[in-house]
């Protein structure tokens, strides 16, 4: 019987994450970032792009270590085959940005405006994020692990093979989202909104007990 139950258990497809291996990098100790330019094969360490207008800029096979992007305008920027470690941004403005094959380690973001972005094969490990706005974004093969997020807005996003592992989240908004293989198991959360858009969400037994009162209220069920 146990074997039959296991066979009937729904299968969850994990994110398909390609390892990020930039080629040989050259160091640029004093970068002169400019809007719309392409930067390829460069390592930036403890540099600052604060307040710069970098909309539409293309970064390919680059590594960022301790770089500050506070109030940098990265609208429509592209990051491909990049590694970002300890990136700092109290205000991150990167709406409609494109991230493909990107690893982000221990970020420190305050308000992150990332709406209508496209993420494919993106991994975030560690860090603390106050507010992350991914509203209307398309997320494919994304994994966020061991991260503290105060508020995560996934309203109207399309998310396929997304996993949040061992994270602590205050509130998550799924309003209007389209989910497939969205794995929330093992993550602590305080509040979930958008209860009518949870099809495709994968949770564990404990999380179900947390959601039960919210679902009952959403459905108009009275528990007496």
């Amino acid at each position: 019987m146990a074997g039959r139950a296991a066979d009937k258990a729904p299968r969850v497809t994990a994110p398909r994450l390609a390892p990020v291996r930039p080629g040989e990098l050259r160091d640029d100790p004093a970068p002169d970032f400019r809007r719309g330019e392409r930067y390829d094969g460069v390592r930036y360490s403890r540099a600052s792009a604060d307040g710069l207008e970098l909309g539409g800029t293309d970064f390919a096979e680059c590594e960022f270590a301790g770089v500050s992007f506070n109030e940098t305008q990265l609208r429509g920027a592209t990051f491909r085959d990049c590694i970002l470690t300890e990136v700092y941004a109290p205000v991150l403005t990167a709406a409609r940005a494109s991230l493909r094959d990107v690893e982000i380690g221990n970020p420190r973001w305050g308000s992150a405006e990332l709406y209508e972005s496209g993420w494919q094969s993106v991994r975030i490990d560690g860090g603390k994020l106050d507010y992350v706005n991914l509203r209307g974004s398309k997320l494919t093969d994304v994994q966020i692990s061991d991260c503290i997020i105060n508020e995560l807005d996934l309203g109207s996003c399309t998310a396929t093979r997304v996993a949040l592992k061992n994270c602590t989240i205050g509130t998550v908004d799924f309003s209007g989202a389209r989910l497939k293989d969205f794995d929330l198991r093992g993550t602590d959360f305080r509040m979930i909104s958008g209860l009518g858009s949870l099809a495709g969400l994968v949770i564990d037994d404990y999380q179900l007990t947390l959601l039960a009162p919210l679902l009952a209220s959403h459905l108009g069920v009275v528990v007496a």
Side-chain angles (χ1 to χ4, degrees):
M1 293 294 292
R4 291 181 183 177
D7 291 340
K8 293 181 181 179
R11 298 184 180 224
V12 182
T13 303
R16 300 165 183 166
L17 299 169
V20 180
R21 297 191 181 100
E24 186 174 348
L25 303 177
R26 67 183 186 281
D27 292 305
D28 187 346
D32 181 20
F33 294 120
R34 297 187 181 182
R35 177 178 182 177
E37 294 290 331
R38 176 186 169 96
Y39 300 90
D40 199 336
V42 186
R43 180 186 292 110
Y44 305 103
S45 299
R46 305 298 169 188
S48 173
D50 292 349
L52 296 181
E53 171 56 73
L54 297 179
T57 303
D58 185 4
F59 296 98
E61 293 194 55
C62 291
E63 182 176 327
F64 302 82
V67 175
S68 179
F69 284 108
N70 187 35
E71 296 189 350
T72 307
Q73 298 298 319
L74 288 164
R75 185 182 182 91
T78 300
F79 293 83
R80 294 177 290 114
D81 298 293
C82 289
I83 297 175
L84 297 89
T85 306
E86 296 184 353
V87 171
Y88 175 76
V91 177
L92 179 62
T93 305
R96 296 175 181 166
S98 175
L99 281 67
R100 180 164 185 166
D101 297 324
V102 172
E103 292 183 359
I104 303 173
N106 202 31
R108 291 292 186 272
W109 299 345
S111 174
E113 293 292 346
L114 301 164
Y115 58 86
E116 297 178 7
S117 295
W119 290 18
Q120 183 170 353
S121 187
V122 175
R123 182 199 308 267
I124 299 178
D125 291 316
K128 183 176 181 181
L129 317 176
D130 288 337
Y131 170 67
V132 181
N133 180 2
L134 283 164
R135 200 166 191 83
S137 296
K138 183 175 182 179
L139 312 176
T140 307
D141 297 313
V142 174
Q143 179 174 297
I144 304 176
S145 305
D146 302 305
C147 188
I148 299 173
I149 307 174
N150 289 335
E151 185 176 352
L152 178 60
D153 188 348
L154 297 172
S156 301
C157 78
T158 300
T160 305
R161 296 186 300 276
V162 175
L164 276 67
K165 296 180 174 293
N166 302 317
C167 295
T168 300
I169 302 177
T171 61
V172 190
D173 187 356
F174 287 109
S175 300
R178 294 172 295 281
L179 311 176
K180 183 177 181 181
D181 292 316
F182 194 109
D183 193 350
L184 199 63
R185 292 175 295 178
T187 280
D188 292 329
F189 59 84
R190 186 176 70 249
M191 176 66 70
I192 285 182
S193 57
L195 298 176
S197 302
L198 298 188
L201 182 68
V202 182
I203 59 176
D204 56 37
D205 291 341
Y206 174 69
Q207 291 169 326
L208 179 59
T209 64
L210 298 178
L211 272 179
L214 297 175
L215 290 171
S217 177
H218 173 72
L219 296 171
V221 175
V222 177
V223 181

